[in-house]
Amino acid sequence: MRIEVVQTVEEIRQEQIAGRTVIVIDVLKAGSTIVAALNCGFASVLPVETIGQAQALRSQNVVCAGERHGKKVAEFEYSNSPTAFRIPHEAGKQLVLTTTDGTIAISKAARAAHVLIGCFLNADACIREAIRRQLDITLYCAGTRHEFALEDGLAAGMMVHLARCLVPTSKVCDLGKALEASYLQIGKSLPDFLLETATGKRLAQQHGKEEVLYCGRLNEVDIVPVLINKKLVNATSAKPGDEPPTPKA
């Protein structure tokens, strides 16, 4: 099994997608929001790239969440906010989500054999699910405003470390090894360390520290979002036949 890491939303190449399991990582905050939304009771999350696409889908059983450059879309019920979904509610509804970077990364990865969503909240469950699919893995960091985001890199490093513990024969790219070493050095300081990252500082100034700290909790849930027919659902609730057959590695 080979593991590659992509640093930002713009850097993904076709060979890092085709026939692979891609884990899209956006710690602050789209990935964390998607995991929290499914955990709180939403049946699915539909990621879309534009505000207009989201608005066109609104209905009694479809609610919208989103942000642009960290600010809530005024017309939507929710921002891109994982803490808004800590208490179970909205059972059975669909959440439509649009964000600055994360939902674009999901769209770019859509041609992969499998697309999973990972963050600190579900890192262990996510990498285990990816390994179970028996394909090479790409850890796709969404980044922030087209730049590398340290929090995404640390989450990727955590997943590399977990994968190497589970599958010692795994082959990891140099960037993955560097991020693993960074996680092993810094991981003990999570979640507080997220307040020191560029994105964490900015979001803490805009919205307070609570949400940033929540996104840094390790293995809080075992929800693993998987993209099926353009919607993200919990991998354990996906029905046989929902996903395309796994291609040969």
Side-chain angles (χ1 to χ4, degrees), residues 40-61:
C40 91
F42 279 97
S44 63
V45 178
L46 177 62
V48 298
E49 294 192 36
T50 72
I51 293 171
Q53 287 174 318
Q55 289 176 321
L57 293 166
R58 296 175 81 177
S59 69
Q60 183 175 356
N61 291 313

Side-chain angles (χ1 to χ4, degrees), residues 107-248:
S107 177
K108 285 179 175 288
R111 292 179 180 271
H114 309 287
V115 178
L116 309 179
I117 306 298
C119 56
F120 287 119
L121 296 174
N122 73 338
D124 183 85
C126 189
I127 197 65
R128 287 178 183 273
E129 179 66 23
I131 291 170
R132 186 185 69 79
R133 291 165 186 260
Q134 299 183 321
L135 295 174
D136 291 338
I137 296 170
T138 296
L139 303 176
Y140 184 14
C141 300
T144 298
R145 299 178 179 180
H146 307 291
E147 296 182 352
F148 173 70
L150 180 55
E151 63 277 0
D152 293 348
L154 290 173
M158 179 180 180
M159 292 184 205
V160 167
H161 181 64
L162 292 169
R164 280 156 64 94
C165 290
L166 292 166
V167 187
T169 57
S170 300
K171 296 180 180 180
V172 181
C173 69
D174 286 351
L175 176 58
K177 293 174 183 176
L179 293 173
E180 179 188 20
S182 297
Y183 164 73
L184 292 173
Q185 179 69 29
I186 297 171
K188 295 178 182 178
S189 301
L190 291 168
D192 291 332
F193 183 79
L194 289 195
L195 296 171
E196 302 300 318
T197 69
T199 311
K201 287 180 180 178
R202 175 170 51 81
L203 293 177
Q205 290 173 352
Q206 290 177 334
H207 308 295
K209 297 179 180 180
E210 180 187 11
E211 192 151 273
V212 176
L213 292 173
Y214 178 73
C215 292
R217 294 186 183 183
L218 304 183
N219 300 319
E220 185 88 352
V221 301
D222 60 2
I223 296 288
V224 181
V226 58
L227 189 67
I228 299 176
N229 297 326
K230 299 183 179 182
K231 297 178 183 178
L232 291 158
V233 299
N234 186 9
T236 59
S237 64
K239 299 176 182 178
D242 283 348
E243 292 189 79
T246 300
K248 299 290 185 181

Side-chain angles (χ1 to χ4, degrees), residues 4-75:
E4 291 193 39
V5 181
V6 178
Q7 294 186 79
T8 69
V9 68
E10 298 294 343
E11 294 182 27
I12 195 80
R13 303 191 307 271
Q14 180 60 28
E15 60 265 30
Q16 296 168 318
I17 296 173
R20 301 175 70 98
T21 295
V22 176
I23 299 177
V24 177
I25 301 172
D26 188 352
V27 171
L28 294 174
K29 298 175 290 188
S32 301
T33 296
I34 291 165
V35 169
L38 290 178
N39 191 53
C40 91
F42 279 97
S44 63
V45 178
L46 177 62
V48 298
E49 294 192 36
T50 72
I51 293 171
Q53 287 174 318
Q55 289 176 321
L57 293 166
R58 296 175 81 177
S59 69
Q60 183 175 356
N61 291 313
V62 177
V63 297
C64 293
E67 54 78 24
R68 282 298 179 269
H69 304 296
K71 296 183 179 180
K72 177 181 176 292
V73 178
E75 300 88 348

